[in-house]
Amino acid sequence: MTKKLTSLFLSIAFMLLLCIPAFAEEPFRYVMDDAKLLTEKQQQTLEDNAKTLAEKYGFGVYIVTVQDITTWMDAPDMETAAEQLYLTREMGEGDAHNGILLLMSMEDRDWALFAFGYGNTAFTDYGKSYLSGEFLDDFGKDVWYNGFRDYQKVCGEMLDTSLAGEPVDVDNVPPPRNAWIYGTLACIVIGILIAVCVVIILKAQLKSVAHGTQAEAFVTKGGLHLTDQYDRYTNTTVSRVYDPPSKSSSSGSHHSSGGTSVRSSGGSSASGKF
């Protein structure tokens, strides 16, 4: 009887182990794609990129995807789930566990960012909003690899900015990524307008006959004799300048004060839908 009970217990324990998410059995990685959004080659490329970032900055940039977060973690929301995952798996580089995690749950298309250690400095509240804007456009079209690649790339750019003493924040907003394109188009348009103005001026100078605008141009050599003269009032022109009332100050957007809102665990987070 004892042997049967032992065998039954071992069988149950083995089945429970099979229920653990696949990435929990894997060796430590920066990219854990349990939702199977990436090909093996894409996942390995992202893993190599993350290793390069870790070596360059001493900072972990993580990606974790799951099909449904509620099936493997008891957390009230995505931000708490990302926080628990980061802390329980002891993510991050160095003693301070410096890093940032992007967690995605495909069932309800939820995402969350969780930063820790130096991540609180490099990724302010506004910085997390800026970072998410760089990958959510791809995720909205189900283009996963490009979105993750943009996430890693912008993380590196923001770390560079932060290490230079100017982290991305409300008072340090990066220019649009395609600013050079807009600048080039503006130069082309201005050049065309200047060329058109020059052509119009030159064309006007070539005219030998112009419209008469003064009455004396139509007076004959014999002179002009007026038989009647009248002075008639026609209109008065009045100019008014609008003076708008002064506006009272307000708090503005959620990130108006800048900085980072740190959770009780010592990390900071952001979340949303894609």
Side-chain angles (χ1 to χ4, degrees), residues 5 30 67 83 95 112 136 161-162 185 188 192 200 208 219 249:
L5 289 174
Y30 293 101
Q67 190 59 41
E83 177 184 48
D95 295 336
L136 286 178
T161 301
S162 180
L185 291 175
I188 293 174
I192 291 174
I200 292 174
S208 59
V219 178
S249 61

Side-chain angles (χ1 to χ4, degrees), residues 8 21 32 236 270:
L8 178 62
M32 293 171 278
T236 300

Side-chain angles (χ1 to χ4, degrees), residues 125-162:
D125 293 344
Y126 179 86
K128 293 185 186 69
S129 177
Y130 171 79
L131 173 61
S132 64
E134 295 298 313
F135 59 74
L136 286 178
D137 56 341
D138 290 315
F139 291 168
K141 296 179 287 188
D142 294 350
V143 184
W144 312 117
Y145 176 69
N146 289 351
F148 292 133
R149 188 178 57 186
D150 289 344
Y151 162 71
Q152 291 181 330
K153 179 180 179 181
V154 177
C155 279
E157 293 173 352
M158 294 177 69
L159 286 168
D160 280 331
T161 301
S162 180

